[in-house]
Amino acid sequence: MGKESVERSEGFGERLLGLLLDRAQQMPPQLIAPLIAEEVARIGGRDVSILLQDYAQELLVPLPGRKLHVSQPQPVADSPAGRAFLRAEVVEAPQPGDGVRMYLPLLDGSDQVGVMALTLDAVGDDDRRLLRRLAGLVADMLVTKNAYTDQFFLARRREPMSVSAEIQWSLLPPLTMSVPQVKVAGILEPAYRVAGDSFDYALNDNVLHMAVIDAMGHGLDAAVMATVAIGAYRHARRVFISLAEKYTFMDDAISQQFGPDHFVTAQLMHLNIATGEMELVNAGHPAPLLIRDGQVVQQLESATTLPVGFGGELPRIREHTLQPGDRVLCYTDGIIEEHVAGGEPFGEERLIACVNRLGEGPSEGMRADLRRLSHTLKRERSGRTSDDATLFMIEWHGGAADHLAVLD
């Protein structure tokens, strides 16, 4: 392709993206997907599908809409759409005598929203470049419009959801985050009935703040308590107090609101993403697992601290130093206390054995690995999840302390 042709192509692509953005700003949510299909047709694309991840992280379900190609849900495992989603990369699948089916991950920052699929007669480098930009814009629009519509929620929901689960899902940050120095990912089970489990995180300068909680009880009472705990944690985090003081602030909020007979177990962490130095407060939670080269090398123990709400003393901080490539796996007691055949609890030994067994194979990336672990654990428990069972993983790589260094 000559220089003038390339410039015309790039100019068309910029105009296309600009037009889409201008039209989308004032457009109601139900017309966003048809607008995308209309604009894709301008570059010769057809059979456009917008696939969103269901809440159980098992399927990519098509968003209904005029001008959209609405197919059957695609499994996250073992499908071209699933590979694009889990690996955050474009997948091209030649269609016999009918062009190329392209699957583009919809990334809002590093949060994976879903996949856009479309068919082109032929695919060139200019098409790939334009479609990657278009997919990024589509992801941003879906996230923005999601704030004031139920349409995307209803597409993702594959079975009835309890009120407590509605509360918990609205409370969560994005399930994944990825920057060059660190990645995080979390999974809640049972997706449609979760009540008291939750997690939260924020990256402020070079410190990753993390919390995993488990409110006592079941149902709506547990969800309300979890909401207060996460709200108190976020407030404490945003007034820049120490890790130990965050625990005290959450403890006061729970005890004042619910009284002395209610509590929340919690893990609170600070990770310096430049150095790998991690601070840990463990308030009645199972100890996190340190995973190195795919194998569990130790449990990250800390001084005993009472659960949040019991009026415990200012906790002592336990410090750990991670090595590049290390993963830290946090989990709630629903994972290990679920009873298996014979009536005995699943236990930490079985959990560690599952982690190690999966770690012997090739990694597909942290998010894919965590999802595979969650589904493996569920199978090992014969599909039973009678209590909330949450996994939250951190993967530290280190590197430049200044986030903007990646742009140099």
Side-chain angles (χ1 to χ4, degrees):
M1 181 179 290
K3 179 180 179 182
E4 292 182 359
S5 178
V6 170
E7 289 176 349
R8 284 198 300 271
S9 176
E10 291 179 348
F12 173 75
E14 291 175 0
R15 289 194 300 274
L16 175 65
L17 297 176
L19 178 63
L20 179 60
L21 182 59
D22 290 341
R23 294 180 64 186
Q25 287 179 343
Q26 299 296 323
M27 188 162 285
Q30 70 271 17
L31 296 183
I32 287 296
L35 173 62
I36 293 165
E38 179 182 318
E39 298 303 326
V40 167
R42 293 175 182 267
I43 59 172
R46 61 184 184 276
D47 297 335
V48 178
S49 296
I50 304 296
L51 304 167
L52 304 178
Q53 178 186 221
D54 78 322
Y55 283 96
Q57 300 194 33
E58 295 177 347
L59 297 172
L60 291 164
V61 295
L63 186 65
R66 184 170 52 86
K67 298 185 180 181
L68 287 178
H69 176 67
V70 180
S71 60
Q72 293 297 315
Q74 302 295 303
V76 174
D78 301 323
S79 74
R83 289 198 298 275
F85 179 73
L86 289 174
R87 300 177 186 177
E89 62 185 27
V90 178
V91 173
E92 299 180 15
Q95 306 296 294
D98 195 26
V100 179
R101 189 73 173 161
M102 298 191 68
Y103 300 88
L104 298 109
L106 297 175
L107 302 175
D108 177 55
S110 58
D111 184 28
Q112 288 149 304
V113 178
V115 172
M116 180 171 69
L118 57 97
T119 300
L120 292 173
D121 290 332
V123 182
D125 289 340
D126 291 330
D127 300 311
R128 295 182 179 96
R129 184 162 48 248
L130 174 59
L131 288 171
R132 281 196 296 268
R133 293 172 179 172
L134 177 60
L137 179 56
V138 169
D140 289 342
M141 289 192 300
L142 292 174
V143 170
T144 300
K145 300 296 182 180
N146 183 62
Y148 48 87
T149 184
D150 292 327
Q151 181 185 14
F152 308 143
F153 170 87
L154 293 172
R156 296 177 60 197
R157 189 178 67 183
R158 304 297 295 170
E159 60 183 79
M161 182 176 283
S162 68
V163 174
S164 60
E166 293 257 16
I167 292 172
Q168 290 298 60
W169 281 105
S170 67
L171 196 64
L172 287 175
L175 295 180
T176 60
M177 182 199 72
S178 177
V179 297
Q181 297 92 342
V182 69
K183 298 178 181 179
V184 301
I187 291 182
L188 294 183
E189 287 285 355
Y192 296 96
R193 300 188 309 279
V194 65
D197 279 13
S198 192
F199 60 82
D200 196 40
Y201 64 85
L203 181 58
N204 297 328
D205 294 326
N206 288 329
V207 178
L208 178 65
H209 304 252
M210 297 157 287
V212 180
I213 69 160
D214 180 1
M216 66 168 283
H218 303 279
L220 197 54
D221 287 345
V224 172
M225 204 182 320
T227 301
V228 173
I230 291 294
Y233 169 73
R234 287 174 176 166
H235 179 79
R237 187 182 71 213
R238 291 163 182 167
V239 295
F240 303 106
I241 60 179
S242 70
L243 192 61
E245 290 171 320
K246 287 185 177 74
Y247 165 84
T248 300
F249 193 91
M250 294 170 65
D251 185 81
D252 290 343
I254 294 298
S255 62
Q256 290 175 18
Q257 184 65 33
F258 299 99
D261 57 342
H262 290 71
F263 66 90
V264 175
T265 65
Q267 281 170 351
L268 309 178
M269 302 180 212
H270 286 172
L271 173 63
N272 186 313
I273 66 170
T275 65
E277 296 172 351
M278 188 176 75
E279 296 179 332
L280 170 65
V281 167
N282 197 338
H285 234 53
L289 303 179
L290 177 61
I291 304 169
R292 184 169 294 157
D293 297 325
Q295 302 296 297
V296 176
V297 294
Q298 70 176 98
Q299 294 177 298
L300 298 179
E301 301 290 350
S302 60
T304 301
T305 300
L306 288 175
V308 171
F310 279 168
E313 298 178 355
L314 195 70
R316 287 179 291 174
I317 306 298
R318 181 65 183 269
E319 296 182 353
H320 301 276
T321 301
L322 304 184
Q323 297 181 13
D326 280 354
R327 291 175 172 178
V328 176
L329 177 65
C330 305
Y331 58 95
T332 56
D333 60 12
I335 296 284
I336 57 176
E337 293 181 357
E338 185 69 58
H339 291 281
V340 295
E344 62 181 2
F346 186 77
E348 292 177 345
E349 290 186 4
R350 284 191 178 93
L351 169 61
I352 292 172
C354 284
V355 173
N356 290 341
R357 186 168 67 249
L358 292 176
E360 292 172 355
S363 172
E364 298 180 6
M366 188 190 70
R367 181 176 187 179
D369 291 349
L370 184 65
R371 176 191 167 279
R372 192 155 52 103
L373 173 62
S374 176
H375 292 180
T376 297
L377 292 172
K378 192 172 181 178
R379 287 195 302 271
E380 292 282 330
R381 301 192 307 267
S382 301
R384 288 191 293 268
T385 308
S386 58
D387 191 10
D388 295 348
T390 295
L391 298 173
F392 184 78
M393 183 177 282
I394 308 133
E395 182 178 271
W396 181 70
H397 295 281
D402 185 352
H403 301 164
L404 296 181
V406 299
L407 303 179
D408 292 344

